[in-house]
Amino acid sequence: FWHDDEYYKGKKNGGSRTPKQLAEIYFNTVGGNASFLLNVPPDTRGLISDREIKTLNEFSAKIKDTFKENMPFELMIVDKDGTEFIPGADGFLLQDNEIGAMLRPSGKFRTIVIEEDIRYSQRVESFEIYVDNIRKVKGTTIGSGKIINFPKGIDADEILFVVTQSRGNPIIRSIKLYR
């Protein structure tokens, strides 16, 4: 995993993945409710090489940069009739007549992180995210975490998170926005 395909084919130009490649893999695995195992191999001395350490540090900086500025927003739960109400501080349980959450951010955001409270099982089977009434995301399970990136950023007045299918009433632990 740590090395690219060319390395395993024995080609001279093969080597470690770049920090950008690692970040893409991270967002596709961890951001998709999976684990991320780097498998960084030691060199012939049994140590992690300086080149690998440099790559790891650059990769780490990319991830930290993504999550460095948590963006405040107003959060309301929305029912099927369009009625909004404020959820509790420790996440929220979507009842039978509730469709999701309305977020009102204060500015441009690049990343959304949604987490279910998996102490009560993973329940969301599919969801959608609308930004100013335009569907931007159609996703499947959330589980312990779903990371959704918008590399160019989005400036929005309203973000609607809608659970379209679930096993039981979903319990959303948190929704976070990052600039």
Side-chain angles (χ1 to χ4, degrees), residues 100-121:
M102 176 69 73
L103 293 72
R104 294 188 177 92
S106 57
K108 192 173 192 174
F109 68 95
R110 294 182 189 278
T111 305
I112 300 174
V113 178
I114 305 168
E115 300 172 319
E116 284 187 79
D117 192 337
I118 59 171
R119 293 178 296 176
Y120 305 102
S121 81

Side-chain angles (χ1 to χ4, degrees), residues 9-179:
K9 292 176 185 173
K11 302 209 174 163
K12 282 199 275 183
N13 61 345
S16 302
R17 297 187 188 273
T18 66
K20 181 180 178 184
Q21 290 172 321
L22 291 171
E24 287 173 10
I25 294 168
Y26 174 87
F27 288 118
N28 289 330
T29 56
V30 174
N33 187 31
S35 298
F36 182 65
L37 182 61
L38 280 170
N39 285 336
V40 180
D43 62 16
T44 55
R45 303 168 297 157
L47 302 172
I48 304 298
S49 73
D50 290 340
R51 185 181 86 176
E52 310 290 27
I53 290 171
K54 180 178 186 263
T55 299
L56 285 169
N57 286 332
E58 290 173 14
F59 161 65
S60 174
K62 284 185 173 300
I63 301 304
K64 287 177 183 175
D65 186 56
T66 299
F67 301 110
K68 73 179 175 189
E69 192 174 348
N70 195 338
M71 182 176 175
F73 58 89
E74 176 187 349
L75 175 67
M76 303 294 277
I77 303 303
V78 181
D79 68 16
K80 291 178 182 172
D81 299 323
T83 305
E84 298 179 358
F85 62 93
I86 299 171
D90 296 328
F92 52 90
L93 167 69
L94 292 175
Q95 303 293 339
D96 291 337
N97 68 330
E98 296 162 358
I99 60 168
M102 176 69 73
L103 293 72
R104 294 188 177 92
S106 57
K108 192 173 192 174
F109 68 95
R110 294 182 189 278
T111 305
I112 300 174
V113 178
I114 305 168
E115 300 172 319
E116 284 187 79
D117 192 337
I118 59 171
R119 293 178 296 176
Y120 305 102
S121 81
Q122 179 176 310
R123 299 179 181 188
V124 174
E125 293 178 343
S126 62
F127 68 94
E128 295 175 347
I129 295 177
Y130 294 82
V131 177
D132 294 334
N133 295 316
I134 299 169
R135 186 174 70 192
K136 296 288 187 178
V137 176
K138 185 174 184 175
T140 57
T141 59
I142 294 171
S144 62
K146 180 66 104 181
I147 302 170
I148 302 155
N149 281 317
F150 300 96
K152 294 180 181 177
I154 294 180
D155 199 359
D157 294 320
E158 292 184 335
I159 303 164
L160 179 62
F161 163 70
V162 179
V163 174
T164 53
Q165 187 172 345
S166 66
R167 285 174 261 144
N169 293 1
I171 302 173
I172 305 302
R173 182 173 162 218
S174 71
I175 300 176
K176 297 176 185 167
L177 297 178
Y178 295 91
R179 294 188 201 274

